[in-house]
Amino acid sequence: MTTLATGSTTARLPVLDLRGVTVRYGNVAALSRVTATLPAGEITCVLGENGSGKSTLVALLSGLARHVEGKLMVDGEPVRFRSPRQARAAGIATVWQDLAVAPLLSVWRNFFLGAEPSRGHGPLRRLDLERARATTVSALARVGVMGLDPDAPASTLRPGERQSLAIARALHFGARALVVDEPTAPLAVPQQTLLLQSIVTARSQGLAVLLVTNTPRYAHLVGDRFLLLAHGQVAGTLTREDVDVADLTRLMAGGEEFSALTAALTALHPELGER
């Protein structure tokens, strides 16, 4: 955890900080001067219509897109990811919309993905299968997934369990920020509950969480902050105390009411315009 001493107080630096970030695809600005802060131990929900810039924001934080203006900061230091590997090395784990697993491999194989535990040394070194299975079961239980057979093929996992597997893996391997791109396919209530439970667990473990969602009801249920995007720009930055679920739903509807409510909230809370 990185802190910054200020006088007699110590301020915690946000894990991720975007300052006037612009991402272009050709001549099109997919993100334009976006400013947002993702503190540790908080869930920031990103909401907006299709084409609002949500996917580009995920791509930027995941190392798939690069900004041409502004700054992307990790622990107060500017970074420019050139690959997903660099983003992961910086502690940013991404759970994608259509999460790919190796369906014929076991659950525990998918959990470790090349980082399997071993025992012994030199020519006697071999896979520690018992530890791999136990670690997988324990990590999944940590995010609320109970009773899975670690030797079962990953194809037997339901959608919510697949996302939870990715979150459990991120927690186990020390991620500091979690980016969750909500699945495009609708989840049944038990699976949606499992996914949200896993996200809340990540927050409780001190991760900075960014959740992209089109569901204001779920966003307000778990979110601490709400970043509203429209046409690649920040249309509003609110907290749970600023809006109830009905307000958030109306904001998602867009149009004049969206602009008017955002302007009214900013007038009542001038600090919102500074975030």
Side-chain angles (χ1 to χ4, degrees):
M1 181 182 300
T2 304
T3 57
L4 177 66
T6 306
S8 59
T9 62
T10 301
R12 179 191 300 179
L13 288 173
V15 177
L16 291 171
D17 196 6
L18 289 79
R19 301 181 183 178
V21 167
T22 296
V23 175
R24 295 184 183 276
Y25 296 119
N27 293 325
V28 178
L31 291 179
S32 179
R33 299 178 60 82
V34 170
T35 294
T37 298
L38 277 71
E42 292 191 16
I43 298 173
T44 300
C45 294
V46 182
L47 301 102
E49 297 180 347
N50 291 337
S52 64
K54 302 190 304 295
S55 295
T56 302
L57 178 58
V58 172
L60 173 68
L61 297 178
S62 304
L64 292 173
R66 301 173 191 170
H67 55 290
V68 296
E69 297 175 10
K71 291 183 179 181
L72 170 60
M73 317 281 284
V74 176
D75 290 332
E77 296 293 329
V79 298
R80 187 178 295 274
F81 299 135
R82 299 189 179 277
S83 69
R85 182 185 297 273
Q86 290 184 349
R88 290 194 298 269
I92 302 173
T94 302
V95 180
W96 298 98
Q97 280 186 343
D98 302 311
L99 182 66
V101 297
L104 298 182
L105 294 183
S106 65
V107 171
W108 72 262
R109 283 281 190 187
N110 274 273
F111 180 83
F112 283 99
L113 291 176
E116 292 84 0
S118 61
R119 58 182 176 181
H121 302 280
L124 297 178
R125 186 176 180 181
R126 61 191 184 279
L127 172 67
D128 191 340
L129 183 55
E130 183 178 346
R131 180 180 165 198
R133 289 167 171 159
T135 299
T136 300
V137 170
S138 175
L140 286 170
R142 185 180 178 188
V143 297
V145 181
M146 311 294 289
L148 283 183
D149 178 3
D151 290 316
S155 59
T156 62
L157 296 176
R158 291 172 290 185
E161 293 171 339
R162 295 182 184 184
Q163 275 80 28
S164 296
L165 172 63
I167 294 172
R169 186 178 191 277
L171 288 170
H172 178 74
F173 286 101
R176 302 188 54 251
L178 181 68
V179 178
V180 183
D181 203 2
E182 187 179 58
T184 52
L187 300 179
V189 171
Q191 296 304 306
Q192 187 73 62
T193 301
L194 180 60
L195 175 58
L196 293 178
Q197 179 181 341
S198 299
I199 292 170
V200 170
T201 298
R203 174 179 62 187
S204 69
Q205 296 298 315
L207 274 68
V209 181
L210 184 142
L211 170 62
V212 175
T213 177
N214 289 318
T215 311
R217 179 164 47 108
Y218 292 142
H220 198 271
L221 182 64
V222 301
D224 301 292
R225 299 168 178 244
F226 309 104
L227 177 65
L228 310 176
L229 295 180
H231 307 295
Q233 298 180 334
V234 175
T237 305
L238 308 168
T239 68
R240 187 182 180 86
E241 289 70 31
D242 296 319
V243 288
D244 59 21
V245 66
D247 290 331
L248 204 56
T249 301
R250 285 195 294 270
L251 284 170
M252 279 289 292
E256 294 182 1
E257 184 178 13
F258 177 67
S259 300
L261 184 52
T262 302
L265 286 168
T266 303
L268 290 172
H269 304 276
E271 70 277 7
L272 294 178
E274 302 173 359
R275 296 181 191 177

